[in-house]
Amino acid sequence: MVWHILRKDLRLLRIGVLVVATIHLAGAALRSWLGLFPEPRQLVIVADLLSLLSLLGIVVLTVAVMHEDAVPGVRQDWLIRPINRIDLVFAKLLFVMLVVQGPLLLADLSQGLLDGLTFPDSLGAAAARNAAVLCFFSLPALMIGAVTRSQMESFAVAVVGLIIYVAVFLLGVVLLLGVRTSIGGSGLSWMFGATWYALALVGSAVVVWLQFFWRKTSIARCLIGAGGAAIILSSFVPWRAAFALQERLSKQPSSAAAIELAFNPLLGPFKLPAGSAAASGAGLYLPLRVTGIPVAAVVFMDRADLRISDVSGRTLYQGRTNLTVDGVGSIQDARLEVRQSEPGAAAADVHQRIFIPASIYAGLKDQSVRMEIDYSLTLLRAAAVFSLPASGGTVRLKGLGWCSTRIDDDGDEVQLRCLDTGRTPSCFSAFLQYMPGSIRNPEAHFCDPDYTPLATNLWPDALSRLGGEVPFFDRSGLTRYPVDGSKLADSRLVIKTYEPREHFMRHLNIPAIQLSRFAAVPGA
Amino acid sequence: MIIRAAKLHKAFGGHEALRDLSLSVPEGSAYALIGANGAGKTTTIKLLMNIIQPSSGDATVLGVNSRRLSARQFEQIGYVSENQDMPGRLTVGEYVDYLRPFYKTWDCALERALLSQLRLPMGHRIGDLSHGMRLKMALACALPFRPKLLVLDEPFSGLDPLIRDEFMERLLHQAGDMTVFISSHELPEIEGVTTHVGFIDQGTLLFEESMAELSERVREVRITLAREVAMPERVPEGWVDMAVMGNVLSFVDTRFKHDRLAGNVATLFLGIKDIDVRPVALRSIFTTLARAARERGASSWSGIS
């Protein structure tokens, strides 16, 4: 009877199914047509809108199919019919998998093929995205559909959920109490998604069982609420615990064993680049010496927790180095990436920017205080090197997919775009090399680590993208590039990708430091 | 018994919809659960059909605990309710086509006959049908599989007399050996078909018995005396709805037995000119008993049942 019920639902929802399938296919066709350098901007917005509508359509259809045989209520005809509950559940699940998600799979597969990717790769990427969409959108929608009677009721539940989320989580916890999410914005943020997936899988199984076999709507609704709260709370998981898990997932344990961080006062204060604005009084630049970095490797700071105490050990300030409770700071500005300054060098000297609330800094800057920092670090090692013509080259690179370069509209940068299936490297560097000789420009680094073990792409489609801008001309005249516009025709863009090898922690203890000594000073 | 309920209790929040309701429906009977609006008839049926769960107590339907009713039992149960939600966007024909495979005993010839006799528009969407048409549609979907038990929950509510007659005619025609359990407060319509009756008031089943016994024990009595009479201070148990008009005393005897009535009348009154005893219609029995119950309070209901 599973197919019989499914056919009935299809008959009832056929128009919606057709509309949503058309949106999937139109979106895929448009993205494929836009290519590696999507332009014009208006069409990119349309493509994004279609992606959004496509996911929204999946949610609406999933809720709708559940409402065709709504569980809550006492007036539904199916309740007194000899309809096997297991058949009904399977019919609904099959409808979601085949009718709701099937067209998305076809659209994603078609897009991959149209973009020149192989059938197995395209199918793999489409299937992975399908699984992600199932967990992220369809199963939660299925749960909502199982505990509500109408689209209006579902919409009300979604709105109430959003209001609670904004009121309690964003306004209450984040803004008023100043509590920051622990893993958000870091390479560990995949744990939030993984929690969502796990809870969606377990939650939907429990809710469907409760509803279809016991019709315990109140309990099921409470469970959904608890699951939602658990997902939100997962972004507040203690950093130490989350990073400990990430450490256990290291691909090459002990590869960072030799890496050490030390306070290096001899490096002196940080000199701001000439012409830049005066440094904020709330920040300092801590001089560090990092030793033991392997060849062709990068040490990336995922997070650093700072504790400042007085001579008696009393804590005067405690917080993250990149963001403060009063909102001062920036994840981007406080990033720390350490590379060997030159091949074979024994150590790398860097300044770590640390944000401290202005009032705290004003009170402490001239005192001698103790500073302790717990670093959560990741060692990334070069994984592969690729090259392609600096301009106008479109080549298929195994490991990066279809890549293309072009000169930007301003005529001062080479734009790189790659399109692939699966997971693209989240850390890479690129430089221009003039091929007749060995002239090359400085490396441009692009690192936004994502340590997810899941090779899925949810938005805007099933494909993964990599891109960056590599300068070859500075209009201000401050920087001169050896490989400039005149040499581009004979130059290649060399790309080095990095893969995370080990996640590790280090503790830095500075018994006595005067903060004001390490404020930035104006450059020459 | 095809249905047996024991001490069913259902509370919605603080409101007690059913209070220790027990009833027994013999196989092959046409059992009418009668009571005013809000008495608990629909709640009883929804509990029996496992649509809602009781707070306490239990029931068996077709020999199975009502909380464990499954597809196997529902293959033998026809159900028609005034507020039954059917898929409004399917046409009548599509819905019948959808239901057919779920019933092993579905009789296609009977289905065709019913659809034709009830003049249901096969191509119309269910959502576009009138209330009466929807009820006829529900009946047409409840009979073709020749259910062992037909449950009708207020099937006449909001129906015009013509459709009521048509509905009952079809029902009687198809009833055969099936047991019919019907809840209604439209008593004239069910009087002719009912073999057993249960009277529910404020969630309590006040009595249940066969129609034959009920109509045998309830009589309207009219006594004409030689002179004007005053309302007696004490009357025998079972006399309700008493009225005096000049020399005529009337009441309903809910425990009628000819000899006992004659004896009681002779003890209480002198100069009896005439005693007229008449059977009472179900509607009058219901209204009389309901009025008496409310006047006396539930605690003294035993005096008239």
Side-chain angles (χ1 to χ4, degrees), chain A residues 1 4-5 8 11-13 68-69 73-77 79-84 214-216, chain B residues 46 49 51-53 71 74-75 79 83-86 89-90 94-95 97-99 101-103 141:
Chain A
M1 287 298 154
H4 184 63
I5 300 168
K8 181 263 296 179
R11 185 189 295 271
L12 286 166
L13 297 170
E68 290 305 334
D69 296 283
V74 293
R75 296 164 60 157
Q76 302 91 305
D77 189 62
L79 293 173
I80 48 82
R81 299 288 173 192
I83 297 173
N84 190 307
W214 298 98
R215 300 186 67 234
K216 299 283 185 191
Chain B
K46 292 202 183 302
M49 293 295 102
I51 294 172
I52 55 176
Q53 281 88 48
F74 282 119
E75 272 187 55
Y79 176 88
N83 51 19
Q84 199 166 345
D85 279 348
M86 286 180 282
R89 283 180 295 128
L90 284 182
E94 285 170 343
Y95 194 49
D97 288 344
Y98 173 64
L99 290 179
F102 289 107
Y103 296 91
C141 293

Side-chain angles (χ1 to χ4, degrees), chain B residues 73-221:
Chain B
Q73 285 75 44
F74 282 119
E75 272 187 55
Q76 303 173 71
I77 299 174
Y79 176 88
V80 177
S81 168
E82 59 163 335
N83 51 19
Q84 199 166 345
D85 279 348
M86 286 180 282
R89 283 180 295 128
L90 284 182
T91 63
V92 173
E94 285 170 343
Y95 194 49
V96 174
D97 288 344
Y98 173 64
L99 290 179
R100 199 179 298 121
F102 289 107
Y103 296 91
K104 290 191 194 93
T105 55
W106 190 280
D107 182 339
C108 291
L110 178 56
E111 169 208 313
R112 280 193 297 276
L114 279 166
L115 291 171
S116 150
Q117 286 157 4
L118 290 168
R119 293 186 298 281
L120 285 165
M122 299 298 282
H124 278 50
R125 287 185 172 193
I126 296 170
D128 295 337
L129 299 178
S130 66
H131 179 65
M133 276 292 188
R134 270 207 293 275
L135 268 174
K136 286 206 285 184
M137 157 94 197
L139 186 69
C141 293
L143 293 175
F145 52 95
R146 301 187 186 281
K148 212 170 167 184
L149 171 65
L150 180 65
V151 178
L152 305 167
D153 183 12
E154 296 281 7
F156 311 111
S157 184
L159 289 188
D160 61 58
L162 197 68
I163 294 178
R164 282 184 198 188
D165 291 349
E166 200 176 4
F167 188 98
M168 283 311 290
E169 188 188 326
R170 277 297 98 217
L171 184 61
L172 286 174
H173 188 72
Q174 302 298 338
D177 295 334
M178 81 172 85
T179 306
V180 180
F181 184 77
I182 183 168
S183 87
S184 181
H185 60 275
E186 307 282 349
L187 305 179
E189 276 73 12
I190 58 171
E191 186 165 10
V193 294
T194 306
T195 61
H196 290 72
V197 66
F199 182 30
I200 187 170
D201 189 56
Q202 294 177 14
T204 305
L205 190 76
L206 300 179
F207 69 84
E208 66 171 347
E209 61 191 306
S210 72
M211 275 298 285
E213 286 169 353
L214 184 67
S215 48
E216 191 64 33
R217 77 170 172 89
V218 180
R219 286 285 188 278
E220 187 183 347
V221 181

Side-chain angles (χ1 to χ4, degrees), chain A residues 161-180:
Chain A
L162 192 67
I163 289 170
I164 291 173
Y165 174 77
V166 171
V168 176
F169 174 65
L170 292 182
L171 296 179
V173 178
V174 177
L175 288 180
L176 294 179
L177 301 177
V179 178
R180 301 283 178 199

